[in-house]
Amino acid sequence: MSDLSILVLEDHDFQRTMAVEILRQLGMTRIHEAADAKSALAVIAENKCRVDVVLCDLKMNGMDGVEFLRDLGCKGNEPAVVIVSAVKNDVMQSVARFAGAQNLRVLGCLNKPLRAPELARVLDQYRTPDSGRPAHRRPPVCAQEEIRCALAADQFVPFFQPKVGVSDRRLIGVEALARWNHPQHGILGPGLFIETMERFGLIEDLTFVIVEKSLAWMANWARNGRLPCLSINLSACMLPEHDFPERVEKLCAHHGVAPEKVLFEITESAVTRDVPLFLEVLSRLRLRGFGLSIDDYGTGFSSLDQLNNFPFTELKIDKSFVANIAASQKSRTIVEATLAMAGRLDLGTVVEGVENQAQWDLIASMAPDMVQGYFVAKPMSGEAFGTWSLP
Ligand code: C2E
Ligand code: CA
Ligand code: CA
């Protein structure tokens, strides 16, 4: 860690000197200082021995810390950031999210006065792989042509992730999640192909592959006495297909699966685009007996309006709230209040993204109907699900 090159951006002379002193105590020798944001940007732009990490104050005269982060982002090859401030934690967290959205890597947020052990812990993060960084660390999305060929070669399959009851840990349903069974690279996740498929009009083909294969698995599992509900993800751009309800109804009949066993998950942000069209298609799906789930609840806009106007039967609370639940009273309150509201609206409730015992315990105390997440099981093949049992 001591070989890191660190820039201290702090307009208060005494606090800047303190920060430099603490860095020296931690064994750092490559330390730069800036008393305002403009000089900091200049140091980063000019510095021949590149800056690895910036300790960034937020409240400063002239350009403030948030403006500094905006200017710093999007240039490529910029340093990682540690936010150091006396402002309240929720303000620091929102600045950290902003920086993340600017593609900056935020190692942590620290309250003033700065203390050596906390700073050491945060700087240690610099060497660990960065799982949280968005966009440009993602593997590249695949080319349209390659995806078309894969569709033609029938390389897409559904994987299934169980949804279980909280009170009795009973299996209630499965969510089908698309996977590309790539001849060279093995099983690939939807991050690599869904976006391209949506953009080039291929998502409908994928959806029918997933529906068809999932229904075939439902029939297979039913022969062994296993009858979960099936959730299918629908892209918003598919709903304009007016014959969609009829087509899935026919497929259900063909495989002997009752429409009441099938739910379609739609993200809330999708629904705002063309209200009359959505009302039409969603109503026609409900008329045939299908369930409708509002997915990623809490991450889009005007959710309450949608709950009021669209015929949803289930609400899925987004995993981002669960990820924070142990640390954030705010996230706990949002999840609790949402579950209470959904209960009164007679919606089934699912909390997704439960990864560990601590999260399970907290969520279970809030009594949603179902939980889905790595703590229960990761998505698995249809074959594996056939013999899967609750841990
Ligand atoms: P989603 O609908 O929100 O699905 C949940 C995602 O969270 C899945 O990622 C699942 O593997 C992951 N997940 C489940 N439990 C946990 C957990 O405990 N921790 C964490 N960190 N993640 C968890 P996956 O399979 O990569 O799918 C990503 C997204 O791709 C889905 O998000 C969905 O929006 C889209 N997608 C997947 N299959 C289809 C499909 O057949 N059609 C369409 N239109 N979209 C699909
Ligand atoms: Ca989903
Ligand atoms: Ca989700």
Side-chain angles (χ1 to χ4, degrees), residues 244-258:
F244 180 74
E246 289 79 6
R247 283 181 70 187
V248 281
E249 188 180 37
K250 275 199 192 118
L251 287 173
C252 283
H254 177 76
H255 289 284
V257 175

Side-chain angles (χ1 to χ4, degrees), residues 274-320:
D274 185 343
V275 172
L277 181 73
F278 275 88
L279 278 172
E280 179 197 333
V281 181
L282 299 186
S283 305
R284 289 174 53 234
L285 283 167
R286 281 296 308 283
L287 282 173
R288 284 168 173 75
F290 295 108
L292 291 178
S293 182
I294 186 163
D295 204 355
D296 296 345
Y297 186 82
T299 60
F301 298 100
S302 62
S303 329
L304 296 173
D305 184 50
Q306 282 162 32
L307 281 182
N308 201 16
N309 288 317
F310 294 95
F312 287 107
T313 55
E314 181 187 88
L315 180 152
K316 281 185 96 165
I317 296 183
D318 190 62
K319 55 179 175 294
S320 57

